Amino acid sequence: MTPTTPARKALVALAATTALLGAAALPAAAAPAPVSHSGFGYGDSARLGYQKDVTVRVLKGVFERGDTKVVDRFVRPDYIQHNPLAPDGAETLKNLGTAIHAQFPDAVYGVKRVISEGDLVLVHSNVVMTPGTKGQAVVDIFRFQGGKIAEHWDVGQNVPETTANGNDMFSTESWPRTGQPGPGWLTAYNKKLVTKAFDQLIVKKDLSALDRYWGPEYHQHNPNIADGVAGAKAGLGGYFQQFPQLAVSPKRVVAEGDLVAVHSHYVNAPGERGQAIVDLFRVRGGKIVEHWDVIQDVPATSANDNTMF
């Protein structure tokens, strides 16, 4: 879900660095939306675990240590990038990673939660380039091919000083308070539930979805929306009234256990470039009980030809 205010602009240095973790994607025009990656099944825990481990190693290696060897080992040389601030190529990733580490030697890629489904890995992080600052909320999505990173999308926004709901952008408030995804056998059910709920509430702008799919103890992490179902109704109701021609196009859904993420293109009015948004939901007992999101404006120009989607 999205607030009524525009997304905060990402730090250029951080966004450019995050950008480089992409890989050999199909051209954007060839990729249907939303993209399903469920054909791999939910029982391949070893492969999913490997993908998550590799992703975190690459993120921390590049951003925290300027490690070029981790790129050679785990990132395909022919990758295509979807972050608009960076061109394609693993060599670019290595060069920029080295430069960013030299400029921000104390940078921390604070990974909060990681989920994997099929060939996709999604990472929700608090990235702090300079100690003592709140940094950015960042969601990275990676596609694997042949055991290596083969594509990358990301969204980033600055972390505000305060929030309308009293929750920060990263904590887990619903019980149990863990960043780990729930059991894999829940994935298919929870993905189907969130997909239906998202379509009814966000795509079709039907606020009654909140009564059907959301739990009474709903925790909100969007900094501009109040806590609870009532806060969501007020915030989204105002947003839908302000932008009656809002069009939301889900591009991909990534789920594991009780966590389900939807990567979408929000366009408030015809002719606008819109925003790239990742909404991350937690499902407990058949109801949505928690929500995080990261929002970034789609820029007018890009260093690559792949779009943000």
Side-chain angles (χ1 to χ4, degrees), residues 77-257:
D78 57 349
Y79 82 104
I80 291 175
Q81 182 52 253
H82 291 274
N83 183 300
L85 296 176
D88 296 330
E91 287 301 316
T92 309
L93 169 58
K94 293 195 292 185
N95 294 337
L96 191 55
T98 300
I100 292 296
H101 179 63
Q103 184 177 357
F104 301 99
D106 299 317
V108 175
Y109 217 100
V111 174
K112 301 301 180 181
R113 44 190 61 84
V114 186
I115 62 175
S116 185
E117 180 193 9
D119 57 358
L120 297 179
V121 177
L122 181 142
V123 186
H124 183 212
S125 306
N126 182 197
V127 182
V128 178
M129 306 300 282
T130 304
T133 64
K134 289 187 176 294
Q136 286 196 316
V138 176
V139 170
D140 294 284
I141 302 174
F142 301 90
R143 181 177 65 85
F144 274 72
Q145 180 180 341
K148 291 188 176 184
I149 291 174
E151 191 166 4
H152 170 259
W153 304 260
D154 67 352
V155 182
Q157 76 177 86
N158 291 344
V159 176
E161 292 296 324
T162 60
T163 69
N165 46 59
N167 304 321
D168 65 34
M169 293 187 72
F170 308 101
S171 64
T172 301
E173 300 299 326
S174 57
W175 185 90
R177 292 188 173 183
T178 174
Q180 297 298 317
W185 60 267
L186 295 171
T187 302
Y189 175 86
N190 290 336
K191 183 176 183 178
K192 184 177 181 180
L193 183 148
V194 168
T195 300
K196 287 183 177 180
F198 188 90
D199 180 70
Q200 183 177 340
L201 177 62
I202 303 299
V203 177
K204 296 178 180 175
K205 300 183 281 291
D206 181 357
L207 292 175
S208 70
L210 289 162
D211 298 317
R212 181 176 181 182
Y213 294 107
W214 270 253
E217 296 185 14
Y218 173 58
H219 302 277
Q220 178 64 255
H221 294 273
N222 179 304
N224 298 301
I225 298 179
D227 219 17
V229 172
K233 283 185 177 180
L236 287 171
Y239 177 56
F240 295 157
Q241 288 182 352
Q242 183 179 359
F243 300 105
Q245 293 182 286
L246 168 70
V248 178
S249 302
K251 302 299 181 178
R252 51 195 50 82
V253 181
V254 187
E256 183 181 357

Side-chain angles (χ1 to χ4, degrees), residues 47-89:
R47 180 180 52 78
L48 299 182
Y50 166 81
Q51 292 177 171
K52 291 193 285 188
D53 178 69
V54 165
T55 297
V56 173
R57 289 173 67 180
V58 170
L59 285 171
K60 286 188 168 289
V62 170
F63 289 95
E64 296 183 352
R65 301 188 300 277
D67 184 357
T68 60
K69 293 181 180 179
V70 74
V71 177
D72 290 330
R73 184 175 181 184
F74 295 117
V75 179
R76 289 173 58 96
D78 57 349
Y79 82 104
I80 291 175
Q81 182 52 253
H82 291 274
N83 183 300
L85 296 176
D88 296 330

